[in-house]
Amino acid sequence: MTEPSVFTRIIDREIPAEIVHEDDLVIALRDIAPQAPVHVLVVPKDPQYADVAELAAGDPALLAHVVATAKRIAEAEAGGEFRLIFNTGAGAGQTVFHVHAHVLAGGLEESRLA
Ligand code: AMP
C-alpha cells in the first residue's frame, strides 16, 4: 500500500490546513507557500488520480467540478479572474501525486508564463 498523500492527510484532518471550501467531492485549501496574493489548491477527495490527465480520462465530471470550484473561489476572493495550473509530472514541477489545481489570482497582470 502506498502512503497517503499530504492532501489525503489534510482531508482526513491528520494535519492542519487553512480550508476555504469543502464539499462531497473536493477540498480547497491555501497553499503553504503562496506564489500569488490568492493561491488556493483544489483537490479531489478521491486519491486515485495522480494528475489532471488521469482525472480527465477517468472522471471528466469531477474535473469540471474542480474548475467550477476554482471559479467560485476566484469570484469570492479576487473578482472572478484567475489562473489555473496543473503541474503534471515531476519534470513539470509536480511534487504531490494526488491531482490538484493551483488557483492563482490577484496581481497577475505583469506575470508571464515560463
Ligand atoms: P505541485 O508541486 O504542483 O505538486 O504542488 C504541490 C503544492 O502543495 C505546492 O505548491 C506546496 O506548496 C503545496 N503544499 C505542500 N504541502 C502543503 C501543506 N501541508 N499545506 C498546504 N499546501 C501544501
Side-chain angles (χ1 to χ4, degrees):
M1 238 180 88
T2 55
E3 287 288 302
S5 74
V6 64
F7 299 140
T8 293
R9 297 184 67 207
I10 288 169
I11 291 162
D12 291 344
R13 303 304 198 267
E14 290 176 10
I15 56 177
E18 189 177 343
I19 294 165
V20 299
H21 171 81
E22 183 168 18
D23 60 35
D24 289 348
L25 298 174
V26 299
I27 195 166
L29 57 133
R30 294 201 192 282
D31 196 292
I32 203 167
Q35 305 297 310
V38 175
H39 187 170
V40 170
L41 304 171
V42 182
V43 186
K45 289 184 170 178
D46 186 340
Q48 74 173 292
Y49 304 109
D51 61 42
V52 70
E54 288 187 9
L55 178 61
D59 193 342
L62 182 53
L63 175 57
H65 185 65
V66 169
V67 175
T69 303
K71 173 74 176 168
R72 182 171 153 178
I73 291 163
E75 282 173 344
E77 301 204 10
E81 297 183 330
F82 62 104
R83 185 175 294 173
L84 197 59
I85 294 173
F86 293 90
N87 294 326
T88 306
Q94 187 174 4
T95 59
V96 180
F97 294 87
H98 176 158
V99 63
H100 53 282
H102 294 256
V103 183
L104 301 174
L108 298 173
E109 295 85 355
E110 303 299 322
S111 71
R112 295 280 183 274
L113 293 176

